């Protein structure tokens, strides 16, 4: 009887090991097939604003997701020119935000054929005060998009990228409150304002970032669509919206 029990246990062990090996082989084959799949780009609807979010490793979640949420929700409003929102990066691999979120970019601006970008959004990233400013390909991309974009916006330290690209010359701007002095020191010829949450000068909108990125995005929507649409978008995200209660500057 003991021999039969030992034999039975041995057979279970062998079968279990074989199952694991077979599962591993199946996983590898599936993984291999996935790596060969053709890249799928987002569907961009006609007669909409194309809104590109420039992302990279170290991008801060809020400066990305706050305006992304506001702009994406325009597709649920009637009788307006809504927005196609998508991300662009210098890689096809997932980027990792500062808080650890992994995001697969929609377009690789180094090699993909990009749609015309009507609105460029530059969320803040961990190294926007140092190494990112030495990324010539990224700066060149921003300068190229700027030539045709209707609006270029930044949140928090994304303003440093605009400044490095030379886009804020003769413009008024703002950035993350504790980095204003750093920006003034780095770009002494620029007019950087304190005590405002966002500045609109020409086609450039710069914001203090953080949770106040919602306000800058809502302002742009009010500018494009009117007060009622902006209030509707804000209400959908449980935000009390009144631009007159938000410290800001519009340069005319």
């Amino acid at each position: 009887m003991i021999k039969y029990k030992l034999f039975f246990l041995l057979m279970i062990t062998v079968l279990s090991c074989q199952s694991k090996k077979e599962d591993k082989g199946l996983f590898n084959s599936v993984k291999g097939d996935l790596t060969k799949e053709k890249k799928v780009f987002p569907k961009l609807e006609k007669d909409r604003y194309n809104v590109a979010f420039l992302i990279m490793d170290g991008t801060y979640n809020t400066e990305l997701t706050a305006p992304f949420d506001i702009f994406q929700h325009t597709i649920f409003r009637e009788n307006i020119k809504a927005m196609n929102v998508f991300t662009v990066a210098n890689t096809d691999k997932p980027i990792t935000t500062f808080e650890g979120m992994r995001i697969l970019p929609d377009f690789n601006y180094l090699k993909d054929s990009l749609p015309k970008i009507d609105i460029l959004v530059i969320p803040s990233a961990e190294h926007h005060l140092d190494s990112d400013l030495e990324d010539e390909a990224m700066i060149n991309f921003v300068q190229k998009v700027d030539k045709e974009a209707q609006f270029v916006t930044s949140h928090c330290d994304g303003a440093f990228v605009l400044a490095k690209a030379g886009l804020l010359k003769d413009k008024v701007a703002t950035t993350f409150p504790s980095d204003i002095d750093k920006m003034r020191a780095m770009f002494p010829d620029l007019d950087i304002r304190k005590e405002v949450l966002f500045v609109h000068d020409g086609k450039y909108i710069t914001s203090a970032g953080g949770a106040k990125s919602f306000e800058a995005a809502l302002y742009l929507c009010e500018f494009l669509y009117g007060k009622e649409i902006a209030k509707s978008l804000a209400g959908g995200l449980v935000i009390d919206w009144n631009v007159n209660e938000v410290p800001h500057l519009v340069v005319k």
Side-chain angles (χ1 to χ4, degrees), residues 60-237:
Y60 290 101
N61 284 0
T62 306
E63 280 88 19
L64 166 62
T65 59
F68 197 102
D69 283 356
I70 295 293
F71 295 159
Q72 194 275 339
H73 278 76
T74 61
I75 67 174
F76 302 113
R77 302 301 181 273
E78 297 180 351
N79 302 318
I80 66 170
K81 183 178 180 178
M83 298 182 179
N84 293 314
V85 294
F86 52 88
T87 56
V88 294
N90 64 358
T91 180
D92 290 315
K93 297 179 180 179
I95 67 101
T96 302
T97 69
F98 182 79
E99 291 82 5
M101 183 186 297
R102 300 183 73 214
I103 301 173
L104 188 65
D106 292 314
F107 292 94
N108 181 335
Y109 64 76
L110 294 181
K111 68 177 187 179
D112 292 334
S113 177
L114 300 179
K116 179 180 179 296
I117 296 172
D118 301 302
I119 301 172
L120 177 64
V121 183
I122 304 180
S124 183
E126 181 181 7
H127 294 292
H128 273 177
L129 275 69
D130 43 71
S131 57
D132 286 339
L133 299 182
E134 304 306 317
D135 185 342
E136 293 185 6
M138 187 264 285
I139 298 299
N140 289 339
F141 167 72
V142 172
Q143 292 171 332
K144 181 179 179 180
V145 172
D146 173 72
K147 293 178 181 179
E148 293 189 334
Q150 295 182 40
F151 293 95
V152 178
T153 74
S154 69
H155 299 277
C156 188
D157 293 333
F160 282 74
V161 175
L162 296 184
K164 181 67 176 182
L167 305 184
L168 296 181
K169 183 180 179 181
D170 299 323
K171 300 295 181 182
V172 181
T174 193
T175 187
F176 189 67
S178 65
D179 290 335
I180 287 177
D181 290 339
K182 294 177 184 177
M183 190 169 181
R184 286 174 171 173
M186 191 178 296
F187 304 100
D189 295 332
L190 298 185
D191 188 350
I192 314 299
R193 300 294 179 90
K194 288 186 175 182
E195 300 178 354
V196 290
L197 294 178
F198 65 84
V199 175
H200 180 191
D201 189 348
K203 67 177 182 179
Y204 304 100
I205 299 175
T206 54
S207 90
K212 300 307 176 183
S213 301
F214 282 107
E215 275 83 347
L218 285 167
Y219 167 78
L220 178 54
C221 287
E222 181 164 326
F223 185 84
L224 292 173
Y225 307 124
K227 186 180 294 293
E228 293 306 313
I229 292 294
K231 289 186 69 174
S232 173
L233 292 168
L237 292 167

